[in-house]
Amino acid sequence: EPEVTQTPSHQVTQMGQEVILRCVPISNHLYFYWYRQILGQKVEFLVSFYNNEISEKSEIFDDQFSVERPDGSNFTLKIRSTKLEDSAMYFCASSEFGGLAGPDTDTQYFGPGTRLTVL
Amino acid sequence: ELKVEQNPLFLSMQEGKNYTIYCNYSTTSDRLYWYRQDPGKSLESLFVLLSNGAVKQEGRLMASLDTKARLSTLHITAAVHDLSATYFCAVDIGAGNMLTFGGGTRLMVKP
């Protein structure tokens, strides 16, 4: 069964450093998302991406964050200058369509996550 | 601002018992999802509910939606240990397929 994959599974970085989190969405999916989950807290939406553009972004997704689809398979989240409070599990998700087609094709499938630890 | 609240936050139950998890949300929603998350793992889609009165069942789990009350329930029948996980509801209000999650219900089923 197709699945979303993410690398690395765990990333440790120093405060102020740049990190890039990588995701490979399901191959026929057109919509891509990033969410984060701070330890013990709820899952929070960061950004959605379609047709090489950001569709929606939350207040969390400020100027230090960026997303990119550098090729036909990868979807990346870059954090330019990490802060301690960026420590969290980051989930990538993908869906075939983006909310207008129907429940089955709009369902978001999540990757295993990247645990980011900022020291 | 959309708020999604789940209760209880933590549920410990014996195998064979029944229980219900509640998910309240504060604004009109296009659809409501239930996800399961095992410790250290990703979120697995369980159900998507679209319309008022929608009911879906898979094994020992049954989800329902009351859009007038802005309430969804996830009912567990005759719980087994394998159901131990954290369950999240998530609401899509139709803005770019952006999901707003509840705080999660951590379910522990004891033998």
Side-chain angles (χ1 to χ4, degrees), chain A:
Chain A
E1 185 176 332
E3 58 184 19
V4 177
T5 60
Q6 290 184 241
T7 54
S9 57
H10 191 191
Q11 174 88 49
V12 181
T13 190
Q14 295 290 327
M15 189 170 56
Q17 295 296 304
E18 175 183 287
V19 293
I20 298 176
L21 310 183
R22 292 182 167 79
C23 167
V24 178
I26 294 173
S27 61
N28 65 328
H29 286 187
L30 301 177
Y31 290 78
F32 316 117
Y33 314 85
W34 284 101
Y35 291 81
R36 80 172 185 189
Q37 184 180 31
I38 295 171
L39 186 64
Q41 298 186 24
K42 62 174 64 178
V43 178
E44 301 173 291
F45 171 82
L46 293 179
V47 66
S48 60
F49 190 86
Y50 168 71
N51 199 26
N52 283 320
E53 290 184 350
I54 291 174
S55 303
E56 295 286 339
K57 60 181 182 177
S58 70
E59 292 177 353
I60 303 168
F61 194 88
D62 61 21
D63 290 345
Q64 71 160 342
F65 290 92
S66 62
V67 289
E68 191 179 27
R69 189 155 164 82
D71 53 43
S73 59
N74 289 284
F75 179 51
T76 61
L77 174 69
K78 181 192 288 186
I79 309 174
R80 288 190 186 81
S81 178
T82 50
K83 303 171 188 168
L84 294 176
E85 54 265 36
D86 293 329
S87 294
M89 181 74 89
Y90 287 81
F91 291 105
C92 173
S94 69
S95 64
E96 192 171 350
F97 294 106
L100 300 175
D104 295 329
T105 51
D106 295 341
T107 294
Q108 295 179 33
Y109 294 88
F110 284 75
T114 293
R115 180 166 297 285
L116 176 65
T117 302
V118 183
L119 302 176

Side-chain angles (χ1 to χ4, degrees), chain B residues 11 15-16 19 21 24-27 32 34 41-42 46 57-59 63 66 71 79 87 99 105 109 111:
Chain B
L11 177 57
E15 278 192 330
Y19 209 83
I21 299 170
N24 289 92
Y25 54 97
S26 61
T27 191
L32 188 140
W34 283 96
K41 304 282 186 170
S42 186
L46 296 174
Q57 183 162 4
E58 180 75 33
D66 181 343
L71 170 70
Y87 293 86
L99 296 181
T105 296
V109 182

